[in-house]
Amino acid sequence: DAGITQSPRHKVTETGTPVTLRCHQTENHRYMYWYRQDPGHGLRLIHYSYGVKDTDKGEVSDGYSVSRSKTEDFLLTLESATSSQTSVYFCAIMGLANEQFFGPGTRLTVL
Amino acid sequence: QQQVKQSPQSLIVQKGGISIINCAYENTAFDYFPWYQQFPGKGPALLIAIRPDVSEKKEGRFTISFNKSAKQFSLHIMDSQPGDSATYFCAASMKGGSQGNLIFGKGTKLSVKP
């Protein structure tokens, strides 16, 4: 599992509340990614990071922000959750040969 | 031009048969083509990957075939087993630019019947 953990694994929240998801890696990889997975859409990139404090937007970044203050942690924040953000969120890291390894996922439900 | 189109959406194969999943892309700058396997409730797991300098790569029962001129690549699962029942995703990325960001196909749900 490439030493990736995600927390929480499941969360139910209400529309309009802020939510932060955490991705933690133990192997000092430089690149980290946040994806969301929805039926019929596959996996879509939200944001990615190429180092501490270095982040950039992906395909579906609206409504999301990220932060990376330490190499091992990459946080995804939904400032004001909406029902359209109900999804399964996956964190990934890039390995030495440019391959990506995924965490176990966080299932988020916004009521 | 950034899309990766995957087919079929779902596939049912008998045990021992060959499962074939196809992907097509438009961006000729893509130079890395992985396949991921995902079981329900789990994260995608890297299965096998290929770069465009080779036309085929085999790992056990899994083979990627790559056709650069047609901009297509496919996953073949030989001697398919019920344990192979999962969702499979193809993807593509390129070096530089967006730091190797993967563009995923929409997935194929494979069911292998005993």
Side-chain angles (χ1 to χ4, degrees):
Chain A
D1 63 359
I4 305 168
T5 56
Q6 293 184 232
S7 59
R9 294 293 314 280
H10 301 270
K11 186 171 182 66
V12 179
T13 192
E14 293 191 350
T15 298
T17 60
V19 176
T20 295
L21 308 183
R22 180 184 184 234
C23 177
H24 179 79
Q25 57 139 332
T26 59
E27 299 183 4
N28 218 33
H29 294 285
R30 181 180 172 192
Y31 296 107
M32 298 183 75
Y33 305 82
W34 276 108
Y35 291 88
R36 60 178 289 174
Q37 184 174 37
D38 305 287
H41 289 277
L43 290 127
R44 293 178 292 174
L45 181 66
I46 305 171
H47 281 279
Y48 66 98
S49 170
Y50 46 98
V52 172
K53 295 190 184 349
D54 292 323
T55 65
D56 206 348
K57 296 178 180 180
E59 177 189 357
V60 290
S61 59
D62 287 349
Y64 302 95
S65 62
V66 290
S67 65
R68 192 163 177 206
S69 59
K70 298 185 290 184
T71 299
E72 58 266 35
D73 289 325
F74 191 30
L75 304 181
L76 177 71
T77 297
L78 291 66
E79 301 290 348
S80 177
T82 67
S83 58
S84 65
Q85 294 176 311
T86 292
S87 187
V88 181
Y89 291 86
F90 288 100
C91 173
I93 58 91
M94 180 181 283
L96 296 175
N98 286 355
E99 71 276 48
Q100 288 191 25
F101 299 102
F102 285 79
T106 293
R107 183 172 294 275
L108 176 67
T109 301
V110 183
L111 301 175
Chain B
Q1 198 179 18
Q2 285 291 90
Q3 281 186 322
V4 175
K5 294 182 179 179
Q6 183 171 347
S7 62
Q9 273 189 303
S10 62
L11 181 62
I12 299 173
V13 173
Q14 290 296 125
K15 179 182 175 182
I18 302 173
S19 304
I20 301 174
I21 304 170
N22 301 298
C23 283
Y25 64 98
E26 289 296 321
N27 191 341
T28 55
F30 287 145
D31 67 349
Y32 174 67
F33 303 90
W35 284 90
Y36 284 82
Q37 178 188 57
Q38 185 179 29
F39 293 105
K42 303 292 186 183
L46 180 63
L47 190 61
I48 187 172
I50 197 168
R51 296 196 185 271
D53 52 344
V54 297
S55 60
E56 187 175 281
K57 182 174 181 180
K58 184 176 180 180
E59 290 185 2
R61 296 183 295 109
F62 300 91
T63 299
I64 298 180
S65 296
F66 185 81
N67 186 328
K68 190 173 181 178
S69 61
K71 291 185 285 186
Q72 295 176 347
F73 58 110
S74 60
L75 177 69
H76 295 236
I77 306 174
M78 312 301 286
D79 187 26
S80 299
Q81 299 296 312
D84 296 330
S85 296
T87 300
Y88 292 82
F89 294 94
C90 63
S93 71
M94 52 189 153
K95 289 182 185 176
S98 303
Q99 317 299 337
N101 295 344
L102 287 170
I103 308 297
F104 282 87
K106 294 187 177 181
T108 297
K109 186 172 183 179
L110 171 66
S111 296
V112 181
K113 299 300 184 186

Coordinates of all heavy atoms in Angstrom, one line a residue, chain B residues 7-48:
Chain B
S7 N -13.2 1.0 -23.2 CA -14.4 0.1 -23.5 C -14.0 -1.4 -23.3 O -12.8 -1.7 -23.4 CB -14.8 0.3 -24.9 OG -13.8 0.0 -25.8
P8 N -15.0 -2.2 -23.0 CA -16.4 -1.9 -22.7 C -16.6 -1.4 -21.3 O -15.6 -1.4 -20.5 CB -17.1 -3.3 -22.9 CG -16.0 -4.2 -22.4 CD -14.7 -3.7 -22.8
Q9 N -17.8 -0.9 -21.0 CA -18.1 -0.5 -19.6 C -18.1 -1.7 -18.7 O -17.7 -1.6 -17.5 CB -19.4 0.2 -19.6 CG -19.4 1.7 -19.8 CD -20.7 2.3 -19.6 OE1 -21.7 1.9 -20.1 NE2 -20.7 3.3 -18.7
S10 N -18.6 -2.8 -19.2 CA -18.7 -4.0 -18.4 C -18.4 -5.2 -19.2 O -18.6 -5.2 -20.5 CB -20.1 -4.2 -17.7 OG -21.1 -4.2 -18.6
L11 N -18.0 -6.3 -18.6 CA -17.5 -7.5 -19.3 C -17.8 -8.7 -18.5 O -17.4 -8.7 -17.3 CB -16.0 -7.3 -19.6 CG -15.3 -8.4 -20.4 CD1 -15.9 -8.5 -21.8 CD2 -13.8 -8.0 -20.5
I12 N -18.4 -9.7 -19.1 CA -18.6 -11.0 -18.4 C -17.9 -12.0 -19.2 O -18.0 -12.2 -20.4 CB -20.1 -11.3 -18.3 CG1 -20.8 -10.3 -17.5 CG2 -20.3 -12.7 -17.6 CD1 -22.4 -10.4 -17.5
V13 N -17.0 -12.8 -18.5 CA -16.2 -13.8 -19.1 C -16.3 -15.1 -18.3 O -16.4 -15.0 -17.0 CB -14.7 -13.3 -19.1 CG1 -13.8 -14.4 -19.6 CG2 -14.6 -12.1 -20.0
Q14 N -16.2 -16.2 -18.9 CA -16.2 -17.5 -18.2 C -14.8 -17.8 -17.7 O -13.8 -17.4 -18.3 CB -16.7 -18.6 -19.2 CG -18.1 -18.6 -19.6 CD -19.0 -18.8 -18.4 OE1 -19.9 -18.0 -18.1 NE2 -18.8 -19.9 -17.6
K15 N -14.8 -18.5 -16.6 CA -13.5 -18.9 -16.0 C -12.7 -19.6 -17.1 O -13.2 -20.5 -17.8 CB -13.8 -19.8 -14.8 CG -12.5 -20.4 -14.2 CD -12.9 -21.3 -13.0 CE -11.6 -21.9 -12.5 NZ -11.9 -22.9 -11.4
G16 N -11.4 -19.2 -17.1 CA -10.5 -19.8 -18.1 C -10.5 -19.0 -19.4 O -9.6 -19.3 -20.3
G17 N -11.4 -18.1 -19.6 CA -11.4 -17.4 -20.9 C -10.5 -16.2 -20.9 O -9.7 -15.9 -19.9
I18 N -10.4 -15.5 -22.0 CA -9.6 -14.3 -22.1 C -10.4 -13.0 -22.0 O -11.5 -12.9 -22.7 CB -8.9 -14.3 -23.5 CG1 -8.0 -15.5 -23.7 CG2 -8.0 -13.0 -23.6 CD1 -7.4 -15.7 -25.0
S19 N -10.0 -12.1 -21.1 CA -10.7 -10.9 -20.9 C -9.9 -9.8 -21.7 O -8.7 -9.8 -21.5 CB -10.8 -10.5 -19.4 OG -11.4 -11.5 -18.7
I20 N -10.6 -9.0 -22.5 CA -9.9 -7.9 -23.2 C -10.6 -6.6 -23.0 O -11.8 -6.5 -23.2 CB -9.9 -8.3 -24.7 CG1 -9.2 -9.6 -25.0 CG2 -9.1 -7.2 -25.5 CD1 -9.3 -10.1 -26.4
I21 N -9.8 -5.6 -22.6 CA -10.3 -4.3 -22.3 C -9.4 -3.3 -23.1 O -8.2 -3.4 -23.2 CB -10.2 -3.9 -20.8 CG1 -10.9 -5.0 -19.9 CG2 -10.7 -2.5 -20.6 CD1 -10.7 -4.8 -18.5
N22 N -10.1 -2.4 -23.8 CA -9.4 -1.5 -24.7 C -9.5 -0.1 -24.3 O -10.5 0.4 -23.7 CB -10.1 -1.6 -26.1 CG -10.1 -3.0 -26.7 OD1 -9.0 -3.6 -26.9 ND2 -11.2 -3.6 -26.9
C23 N -8.4 0.7 -24.6 CA -8.4 2.1 -24.4 C -7.8 2.8 -25.6 O -6.9 2.3 -26.3 CB -7.6 2.4 -23.2 SG -8.5 2.1 -21.6
A24 N -8.3 4.0 -25.8 CA -7.8 4.9 -26.9 C -7.5 6.3 -26.4 O -8.2 6.7 -25.5 CB -8.8 4.9 -28.0
Y25 N -6.5 6.9 -27.0 CA -6.2 8.2 -26.6 C -5.9 9.1 -27.8 O -5.7 8.6 -28.9 CB -4.9 8.2 -25.6 CG -3.7 7.7 -26.3 CD1 -2.7 8.5 -26.8 CD2 -3.5 6.3 -26.5 CE1 -1.6 8.1 -27.5 CE2 -2.3 5.8 -27.1 CZ -1.4 6.7 -27.6 OH -0.3 6.2 -28.2
E26 N -5.9 10.4 -27.6 CA -5.6 11.4 -28.7 C -4.3 12.1 -28.6 O -3.7 12.4 -29.6 CB -6.8 12.4 -28.7 CG -8.1 11.9 -29.2 CD -8.1 11.4 -30.6 OE1 -7.4 12.0 -31.4 OE2 -8.7 10.4 -30.9
N27 N -3.9 12.3 -27.3 CA -2.7 13.2 -27.1 C -1.4 12.3 -27.4 O -1.1 11.5 -26.6 CB -2.7 13.7 -25.7 CG -1.6 14.8 -25.5 OD1 -0.7 14.9 -26.3 ND2 -1.8 15.6 -24.5
T28 N -0.7 12.6 -28.5 CA 0.5 11.9 -28.8 C 1.6 12.2 -27.8 O 2.7 11.5 -27.9 CB 0.9 12.2 -30.2 OG1 1.1 13.6 -30.4 CG2 -0.1 11.7 -31.2
A29 N 1.5 13.1 -26.9 CA 2.5 13.4 -26.0 C 2.5 12.4 -24.8 O 3.4 12.4 -24.0 CB 2.4 14.8 -25.4
F30 N 1.4 11.7 -24.7 CA 1.3 10.7 -23.6 C 2.5 9.7 -23.8 O 2.7 9.2 -24.9 CB 0.0 9.9 -23.6 CG -1.2 10.8 -23.1 CD1 -2.4 10.6 -23.6 CD2 -1.0 11.7 -22.0 CE1 -3.5 11.3 -23.2 CE2 -2.1 12.4 -21.6 CZ -3.3 12.2 -22.1
D31 N 3.2 9.3 -22.7 CA 4.2 8.4 -22.8 C 4.3 7.3 -21.7 O 5.3 6.7 -21.5 CB 5.6 9.1 -22.9 CG 6.0 9.8 -21.7 OD1 5.1 9.9 -20.8 OD2 7.1 10.3 -21.6
Y32 N 3.2 7.2 -21.0 CA 3.2 6.3 -19.9 C 1.7 5.8 -19.8 O 0.8 6.6 -19.7 CB 3.7 6.9 -18.6 CG 3.5 6.0 -17.3 CD1 4.3 4.9 -17.2 CD2 2.7 6.4 -16.3 CE1 4.2 4.1 -16.1 CE2 2.5 5.6 -15.2 CZ 3.3 4.4 -15.1 OH 3.2 3.6 -14.0
F33 N 1.5 4.5 -19.8 CA 0.2 3.9 -19.9 C 0.0 2.8 -18.9 O 0.4 1.6 -19.1 CB -0.1 3.4 -21.3 CG 0.1 4.4 -22.4 CD1 1.3 4.6 -23.0 CD2 -1.0 5.2 -22.8 CE1 1.5 5.6 -24.0 CE2 -0.8 6.2 -23.7 CZ 0.4 6.4 -24.3
P34 N -0.5 3.1 -17.7 CA -0.7 2.1 -16.7 C -2.1 1.5 -16.7 O -3.1 2.2 -17.2 CB -0.4 2.8 -15.4 CG -0.9 4.2 -15.7 CD -0.7 4.4 -17.2
W35 N -2.3 0.3 -16.1 CA -3.6 -0.2 -15.8 C -3.7 -0.4 -14.3 O -2.7 -0.9 -13.7 CB -3.7 -1.6 -16.6 CG -4.0 -1.5 -18.0 CD1 -3.1 -1.4 -19.0 CD2 -5.3 -1.4 -18.7 NE1 -3.7 -1.3 -20.2 CE2 -5.0 -1.3 -20.0 CE3 -6.6 -1.3 -18.2 CZ2 -6.1 -1.1 -21.0 CZ3 -7.6 -1.2 -19.1 CH2 -7.4 -1.1 -20.5
Y36 N -4.9 -0.1 -13.8 CA -5.1 -0.3 -12.4 C -6.3 -1.3 -12.2 O -7.2 -1.3 -13.0 CB -5.5 1.0 -11.7 CG -4.3 1.9 -11.5 CD1 -3.8 2.7 -12.5 CD2 -3.7 2.0 -10.3 CE1 -2.7 3.6 -12.3 CE2 -2.6 2.8 -10.0 CZ -2.1 3.6 -11.1 OH -1.0 4.4 -10.9
Q37 N -6.2 -2.0 -11.1 CA -7.3 -3.0 -10.7 C -7.8 -2.5 -9.4 O -7.1 -2.2 -8.5 CB -6.6 -4.4 -10.6 CG -7.6 -5.5 -10.1 CD -6.8 -6.7 -9.8 OE1 -5.9 -6.7 -8.9 NE2 -7.1 -7.8 -10.5
Q38 N -9.1 -2.5 -9.3 CA -9.8 -2.0 -8.1 C -10.9 -2.9 -7.6 O -11.8 -3.2 -8.4 CB -10.4 -0.6 -8.3 CG -10.9 0.0 -7.0 CD -11.5 1.4 -7.2 OE1 -11.9 1.8 -8.3 NE2 -11.4 2.2 -6.1
F39 N -10.7 -3.4 -6.4 CA -11.8 -4.2 -5.8 C -12.7 -3.3 -5.0 O -12.3 -2.3 -4.5 CB -11.1 -5.3 -4.9 CG -10.4 -6.3 -5.7 CD1 -9.0 -6.3 -5.7 CD2 -11.0 -7.3 -6.4 CE1 -8.3 -7.2 -6.4 CE2 -10.3 -8.2 -7.2 CZ -8.9 -8.2 -7.1
P40 N -13.9 -3.7 -4.8 CA -14.9 -2.9 -4.0 C -14.4 -2.5 -2.7 O -13.8 -3.3 -1.9 CB -16.1 -3.8 -3.9 CG -16.1 -4.7 -5.1 CD -14.6 -5.0 -5.3
G41 N -14.5 -1.2 -2.4 CA -14.1 -0.7 -1.1 C -12.6 -0.5 -0.9 O -12.1 -0.2 0.2
K42 N -11.8 -0.7 -2.0 CA -10.3 -0.6 -1.9 C -9.9 0.5 -2.9 O -10.6 0.9 -3.8 CB -9.7 -1.9 -2.3 CG -10.1 -3.1 -1.5 CD -9.6 -3.0 -0.1 CE -9.9 -4.2 0.7 NZ -9.4 -4.1 2.1
G43 N -8.7 0.9 -2.7 CA -8.1 1.9 -3.6 C -7.6 1.2 -4.9 O -7.3 0.0 -4.9
P44 N -7.4 1.9 -6.0 CA -6.9 1.3 -7.2 C -5.5 0.8 -7.0 O -4.7 1.5 -6.3 CB -6.9 2.4 -8.2 CG -7.9 3.4 -7.7 CD -7.8 3.3 -6.2
A45 N -5.1 -0.4 -7.5 CA -3.8 -0.9 -7.4 C -3.2 -1.0 -8.7 O -3.8 -1.6 -9.7 CB -3.9 -2.3 -6.7
L46 N -1.9 -0.6 -8.8 CA -1.2 -0.6 -10.1 C -1.0 -2.1 -10.5 O -0.5 -2.9 -9.7 CB 0.1 0.1 -10.0 CG 1.0 0.1 -11.2 CD1 0.3 0.8 -12.4 CD2 2.3 0.7 -10.9
L47 N -1.5 -2.4 -11.7 CA -1.4 -3.8 -12.2 C -0.2 -4.0 -13.1 O 0.6 -4.9 -12.9 CB -2.7 -4.1 -12.9 CG -3.0 -5.6 -13.3 CD1 -3.1 -6.5 -12.1 CD2 -4.3 -5.6 -14.1
I48 N -0.1 -3.2 -14.1 CA 0.9 -3.3 -15.1 C 1.0 -2.0 -15.9 O -0.1 -1.3 -16.0 CB 0.6 -4.5 -16.1 CG1 1.8 -4.8 -17.0 CG2 -0.7 -4.3 -16.8 CD1 1.6 -6.1 -17.9

